[in-house]
């Protein structure tokens, strides 16, 4: 059979062009990475004049945006169909990719949907996918809960625990938890920690501004009986450790306190708010001391893992007391949260003697250690976090404890203290972080440890990288890596001086 090669070639060429057409269409500029207040689909937005932004995805030479149009509404399907009940910006001949919302006044506790259409340099229009944002309190008058605390003063060391049980009488459509804190906190619902944030809320001038955080807790609640639990840490609000910075004399200093609203929307459209108040109870747990500056002390014998569940008997707990607002400015925390971002296993473990092991994690980081160990009840284990070692191989803190001014030996620098329960115990500091490479584990009774007993988490604000650098020069690549790690180790909601000996802002916060 004779084959006409010209026809075959033309057929393949046509097929190739046909298959390439969708790919060519993809090169047309498109708005992507839609953000509200520089966050993706955020909850609890408080800004009245919030900012919407996007990026132009276009790999053509000379690509640029000639105009934009934004639609904002409360009905996602309407926004898909280019209908904005709250704002239709109209076509704006502008290359701006950061725009201030200029529609109807935003309402509290409302979910909004939005998208943007662009016209490129060739006059071609493209549209983004639909994004969302949800407003929070918007005004302090919308809070239902009260500020509460326990009955102790600023010198009392054990962390306060709080709990409340309530009944959700109908099927739940959605639920949001709004919590404002003087100090630090962890929130639990029905025994499970809410979210994966660390060290919330961020540092402010607490007597001038306080932050609250919003959580979607729909999946943690159930129709029927529920339990809420809150643990409060000192943070920079109640600085009990002594240092040259005099944070123990801060004008805002007080016993940690919080205000919380749990807002439930039922399937029938009705809402109910469970707020903090005098019907809550307070008690204590295994955190017997916590300092953002030095360390955390934990008595595993006091642990009760059911304390935030409906099965817990809180008859031995006490009533709470009401507190005044720490400030008259309670606003939403709108930043990327601190998280345990990376996990580092030990690169080596060395037994120094019968009571001491040296763990080397291979690099300096800011973070926390997680100890998993079993031993005789009452055994005291100390986790000494350090950047360098003595000639003997033991921890050397002399380069990082220079600004610590302890009044006694009960608050050693960068040294977590764990008292074992006699069972399998697990400990990770909740309200502290440290700068270190090595951890010396010292116990007052002999323990057998290996690399599985201690894990490190690199902890920092979970910001996405804006770019990267690679080269043929290994030294330059290492410098890039080290610079990024140093920056991240000092990013805890705000840039700090260093993660161990100073661990503070370069200057006082200036909130007004």
């Amino acid at each position: 059979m004779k084959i006409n090669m010209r026809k075959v070639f033309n057929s393949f060429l046509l097929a190739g062009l046909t298959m390439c057409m969708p790919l060519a269409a993809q090169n047309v500029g498109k708005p992507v990475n839609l953000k509200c207040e520089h966050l993706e689909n955020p909850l609890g937005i408080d800004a009245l004049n919030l900012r919407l932004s996007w990026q132009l995805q276009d790999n053509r030479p000379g690509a640029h945006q000639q105009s934009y149009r934004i639609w904002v509404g409360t009905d996602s399907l309407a926004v898909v169909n280019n209908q904005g009940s709250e704002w239709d910006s109209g076509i704006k001949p502008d290359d701006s990719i950061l725009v201030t919302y200029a529609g109807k006044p935003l309402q509290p506790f409302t979910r909004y949907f939005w998208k943007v259409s662009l016209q490129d340099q060739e006059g071609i229009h493209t549209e983004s996918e639909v994004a969302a944002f949800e407003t929070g309190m918007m005004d302090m008058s919308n809070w239902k809960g009260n500020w509460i605390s326990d009955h102790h003063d600023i010198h009392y060391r054990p962390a306060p625990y709080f709990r409340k049980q309530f009944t959700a009488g109908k099927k739940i459509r959605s639920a949001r938890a709004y919590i404002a804190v003087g100090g630090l906190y962890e929130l639990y619902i029905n025994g499970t920690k809410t979210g994966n944030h660390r060290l919330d809320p961020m540092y402010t001038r607490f007597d001038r501004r306080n932050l609250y955080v919003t959580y979607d807790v729909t999946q943690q609640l159930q129709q029927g009986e529920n339990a809420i639990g809150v643990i409060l840490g000192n943070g920079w609000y109640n600085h009990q450790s002594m240092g040259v910075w005099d944070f123990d004399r801060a004008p805002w200093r007080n016993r940690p306190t919080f205000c919380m609203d749990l807002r439930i929307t039922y399937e029938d459209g009705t809402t109910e708010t469970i707020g903090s108040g005098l019907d809550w109870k307070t008690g204590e747990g295994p955190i017997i001391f916590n300092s953002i500056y030095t360390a955390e002390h934990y008595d595993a014998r006091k642990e009760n893992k059911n304390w935030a569940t409906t099965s817990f008997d809180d008859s031995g707990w006490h009533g709470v007391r009401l507190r005044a607002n720490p400030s008259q400015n309670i606003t939403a925390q709108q930043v990327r949260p601190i998280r345990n971002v990376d996990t580092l296993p030990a690169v080596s473990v060395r037994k120094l003697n019968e009571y001491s092991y040296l763990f080397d994690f291979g690099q300096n980081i800011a973070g926390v250690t997680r100890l998993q160990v079993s031993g005789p009840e009452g055994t005291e284990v100390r986790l000494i976090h350090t950047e360098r070692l003595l000639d003997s191989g033991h921890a050397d803190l002399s380069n990082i404890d220079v600004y610590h001014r302890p009044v006694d030996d009960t608050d050693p620098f960068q040294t977590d203290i764990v008292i074992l329960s006699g069972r399998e115990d697990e400990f990770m500091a909740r309200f502290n972080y440290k700068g270190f490479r090595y951890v010396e584990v010292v116990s007052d009774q002999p323990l057998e440890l290996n690399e599985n007993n201690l894990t490190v988490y690199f902890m920092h604000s979970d910001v996405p990288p804006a770019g990267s650098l690679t080269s043929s020069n290994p030294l330059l690549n290492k410098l890039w890596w080290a610079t990024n790690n140093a920056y991240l180790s000092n990013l805890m909601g705000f840039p700090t001086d260093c993660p161990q000996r100073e661990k503070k802002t370069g200057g006082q916060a200036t909130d007004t």
Side-chain angles (χ1 to χ4, degrees):
M1 181 177 65
K2 187 176 180 179
I3 299 176
N4 188 327
M5 295 304 298
R6 182 180 294 274
K7 288 184 178 181
V8 172
F9 175 77
N10 287 339
S11 297
F12 275 106
L13 179 60
L14 179 61
L17 288 173
T18 302
M19 288 189 296
C20 285
M21 285 177 64
L23 296 178
Q26 290 177 12
N27 290 331
V28 175
K30 182 178 181 180
V32 297
N33 296 334
L34 274 63
K35 296 178 182 177
C36 172
E37 288 297 297
H38 303 290
L39 300 170
E40 298 87 357
N41 301 319
L43 299 179
I45 291 293
D46 257 1
L48 294 174
N49 300 309
L50 55 80
R51 295 160 294 177
L52 304 174
S53 63
W54 59 89
Q55 292 178 334
L56 173 63
Q57 184 182 68
D58 197 325
N59 58 9
R60 292 173 296 169
H64 65 275
Q65 170 188 305
Q66 287 196 13
S67 66
Y68 70 83
R69 184 175 185 175
I70 298 173
W71 296 274
V72 180
T74 55
D75 184 330
S76 60
L77 185 58
V79 173
V80 168
N81 293 319
N82 299 340
Q83 299 173 20
S85 60
E86 308 306 304
W87 186 37
D88 181 346
S89 70
I91 297 175
K92 300 293 184 181
D94 194 335
D95 61 0
S96 298
I97 58 172
L98 177 65
V99 176
T100 300
Y101 174 82
K104 296 178 182 178
L106 297 172
Q107 300 303 306
F109 316 122
T110 304
R111 189 164 184 80
Y112 293 90
F113 302 91
W114 71 285
K115 75 173 185 178
V116 60
S117 169
L118 304 184
Q119 183 184 38
D120 67 12
Q121 70 278 6
E122 297 178 4
I124 300 173
H125 290 270
T126 56
E127 296 179 0
S128 71
E129 303 296 329
V130 174
F133 62 87
E134 187 174 296
T135 53
M137 289 289 170
M138 301 296 288
D139 190 276
M140 283 183 58
S141 63
N142 289 318
W143 284 93
K144 305 299 183 186
N146 295 286
W147 286 86
I148 61 174
S149 187
D150 64 3
H151 294 269
H152 296 291
D153 64 18
I154 59 175
H155 304 293
Y156 193 69
R157 288 193 162 189
Y161 284 56
F162 301 85
R163 57 173 273 117
K164 174 183 171 57
Q165 287 188 211
F166 70 94
T167 302
K170 294 177 284 188
K171 191 174 181 180
I172 298 169
R173 177 190 299 169
S174 65
R176 302 288 186 264
Y178 307 90
I179 181 167
V181 176
L184 302 172
Y185 73 92
E186 284 191 345
L187 171 64
Y188 292 78
I189 294 180
N190 291 325
T192 302
K193 182 178 180 290
T194 299
N196 59 2
H197 299 190
R198 305 296 315 279
L199 302 181
D200 271 341
M202 305 303 172
Y203 171 77
T204 61
R205 264 293 303 256
F206 301 106
D207 54 345
R208 298 184 182 179
R209 182 167 66 113
N210 302 99
L211 302 177
Y212 74 88
V213 182
T214 304
Y215 299 94
D216 181 349
V217 295
T218 308
Q219 299 304 315
Q220 286 185 264
L221 293 177
Q222 59 193 10
Q223 184 174 351
E225 291 298 310
N226 293 271
I228 312 170
V230 175
I231 312 174
L232 295 186
N234 287 317
W236 297 104
Y237 185 67
N238 183 34
H239 207 271
Q240 293 179 323
S241 297
M242 300 298 169
V244 300
W245 318 115
D246 289 338
F247 272 93
D248 61 294
R249 299 169 60 188
W252 58 74
R253 188 179 174 189
N254 211 329
R255 180 72 171 165
T257 179
F258 78 100
C259 180
M260 178 180 171
D261 277 359
L262 176 61
R263 192 171 191 273
I264 303 171
T265 302
Y266 294 106
E267 286 287 359
D268 62 5
T270 60
T271 62
E272 180 182 12
T273 299
I274 310 298
S276 49
L278 291 176
D279 54 349
W280 286 58
K281 286 192 170 184
T282 183
E284 296 176 11
I287 303 174
I288 54 178
F289 174 74
N290 69 95
S291 167
I292 188 68
Y293 187 60
T294 57
E296 195 161 299
H297 304 171
Y298 178 87
D299 188 343
R301 297 170 299 183
K302 299 177 179 292
E303 181 68 80
N304 188 323
K305 296 186 182 300
N306 294 322
W307 71 275
T309 69
T310 58
S311 63
F312 181 72
D313 179 8
D314 61 10
S315 59
W317 285 35
H318 309 287
V320 301
R321 65 168 173 147
L322 297 179
R323 285 270 295 276
N325 299 352
S327 76
Q328 295 302 310
N329 187 16
I330 315 297
T331 61
Q333 176 172 294
Q334 295 170 184
V335 299
R336 295 188 182 274
I338 299 169
R339 292 189 176 102
N340 289 347
V341 178
D342 293 314
T343 304
L344 278 67
V347 298
S348 69
V349 181
R350 186 153 44 105
K351 186 173 183 178
L352 302 179
N353 56 49
E354 191 176 10
Y355 301 96
S356 181
Y357 288 79
L358 195 283
F359 288 75
D360 180 0
F361 292 93
Q363 68 181 78
N364 267 5
I365 64 161
V368 291
T369 47
R370 178 169 60 90
L371 175 69
Q372 293 176 295
V373 66
S374 58
E377 181 180 355
T379 300
E380 182 183 279
V381 180
R382 296 191 171 213
L383 309 176
I384 307 170
H385 300 72
T386 184
E387 293 182 342
R388 66 184 188 183
L389 304 175
L390 300 169
D391 292 339
S392 63
H394 289 277
D396 178 10
L397 294 171
S398 62
N399 68 314
I400 57 175
D401 66 356
V402 292
Y403 301 125
H404 187 212
R405 299 291 183 267
V407 296
D408 54 36
D409 60 357
T410 63
D411 182 16
F413 194 67
Q414 288 213 151
T415 301
D416 292 326
I417 299 176
V418 181
I419 302 172
L420 304 187
S421 67
R423 304 180 297 273
E424 182 74 25
D425 293 317
E426 181 174 327
F427 164 78
M428 181 181 74
R430 289 179 167 94
F431 305 122
N432 169 268
Y433 71 97
K434 307 165 188 72
F436 64 99
R437 169 179 171 175
Y438 307 98
V439 180
E440 183 176 357
V441 181
V442 181
S443 59
D444 62 2
Q445 297 189 54
L447 296 174
E448 286 297 324
L449 302 179
N450 57 49
E451 66 276 5
N452 297 318
N453 291 107
L454 201 65
T455 302
V456 159
Y457 297 103
F458 188 8
M459 192 170 87
H460 55 77
S461 294
D462 194 5
V463 294
S468 62
L469 182 150
T470 57
S471 76
S472 59
N473 188 318
L475 177 58
L476 187 58
N477 293 337
K478 289 181 180 179
L479 286 171
W480 172 260
W481 175 86
T483 301
N484 275 278
N485 273 11
Y487 173 75
L488 291 172
S489 290
N490 284 286
L491 192 60
M492 296 289 174
F494 53 84
T496 65
D497 289 353
C498 56
Q500 7 63 358
R501 64 180 176 270
E502 294 180 8
K503 196 184 293 184
K504 66 179 185 64
T505 58
Q508 288 287 329
T510 57
D511 294 315
T512 57

